[in-house]
Amino acid sequence: MQVIQPGKVVLETCTIGGVPWNDGVRNNFHVQEIRIFEDHCKPYFTGQLVIEAHQNVWESFVNPGTPVTISFEAPRSDGGQTKTYTENFKIYSYESKPRQNDIQNAMVITLSLMGQEYYNDRLKTVMMPFSNITGTAAAAIIHSMYMAENGGLNITSGSMGMIGTSQVPHQVRNQKPLKAIHELLDKSVFPAYPS
């Protein structure tokens, strides 16, 4: 049994555009670093993947918009057994540079990754009426219809009061999903300070 230290992971799978990092016979590319970012300020994962590959090989599978799947085993924050995490991204941008002191023409490529939720927010527009439901319920509906890739919203404290009526519904017109959700939550009244 391998003990994983905090901040370190064991890579299980990594594919870029359907090309696995190791196909059982040879390494198609070498993974140097994985960085996955998650915070409360954005509702989608971002990440960086630093790989090494031979020049003229990586250019066939590294392009903006190319799907990337990363699966790794990491320690749990509560000290329990390790957990396997799998996340799907798309390449947002990349930069490459030659590996120093290398006579084999290997390149070090840093891929900037965005979760699918980012693209869902950029590509979709919300136009919906809401009647006789709470603001948090309306936000959950928008999230599940337009944004959700990794599950729905976890609403720990619902808002009070209803938005819209049967005769005059609350209209969300021509807004990006995240903007619509934020506006609904800004207009909602909570029993305690929203956190």
Side-chain angles (χ1 to χ4, degrees), residues 18-191:
V19 176
W21 69 285
N22 183 323
D23 60 14
V25 177
R26 63 187 164 90
N27 287 340
N28 293 314
F29 54 89
H30 171 73
V31 177
Q32 274 188 353
E33 294 179 45
I34 302 169
R35 301 180 191 118
I36 308 292
F37 306 109
E38 170 186 35
D39 63 38
H40 295 289
C41 297
K42 59 185 180 337
Y44 47 84
F45 290 108
T46 58
Q48 282 186 329
L49 181 64
V50 180
I51 63 171
E52 289 180 20
H54 289 287
Q55 192 172 9
N56 301 328
V57 173
W58 63 273
E59 294 158 337
S60 64
F61 57 87
V62 173
N63 295 299
T66 301
V68 175
T69 301
I70 300 171
S71 181
F72 59 89
E73 190 177 351
R76 292 171 47 120
S77 60
D78 61 5
Q81 291 189 354
T82 60
K83 181 177 178 181
T84 299
Y85 297 89
T86 301
E87 187 62 39
N88 296 312
F89 295 97
K90 286 188 179 178
I91 297 175
Y92 184 73
S93 64
Y94 65 91
E95 61 180 53
S96 63
K97 62 182 178 184
R99 187 168 63 181
Q100 291 190 344
N101 303 324
D102 184 15
I103 58 172
Q104 296 181 355
N105 294 328
M107 302 290 283
V108 176
I109 305 106
T110 303
L111 309 173
S112 295
L113 308 172
M114 290 285 199
Q116 184 60 41
E117 293 90 349
Y118 171 83
Y119 295 98
N120 290 350
D121 184 53
R122 296 297 183 268
L123 297 173
K124 297 179 180 178
T125 303
V126 179
M127 294 185 72
M128 295 179 74
F130 293 100
S131 300
N132 300 320
I133 62 171
T134 63
T136 50
I141 290 170
I142 291 172
H143 186 273
S144 67
M145 288 180 68
Y146 294 93
M147 296 285 300
E149 290 291 324
N150 294 314
L153 290 177
N154 182 13
I155 299 172
T156 56
S157 175
S159 60
M160 298 175 8
M162 303 296 169
I163 60 169
T165 63
S166 298
Q167 288 82 22
V168 183
H170 176 80
Q171 297 285 335
V172 176
R173 295 183 185 157
N174 204 22
Q175 291 181 330
K176 297 294 180 192
L178 287 180
K179 182 168 176 38
I181 289 170
H182 283 292
E183 283 193 7
L184 281 168
L185 296 179
D186 284 344
K187 294 175 183 176
S188 298
V189 176
F190 291 87

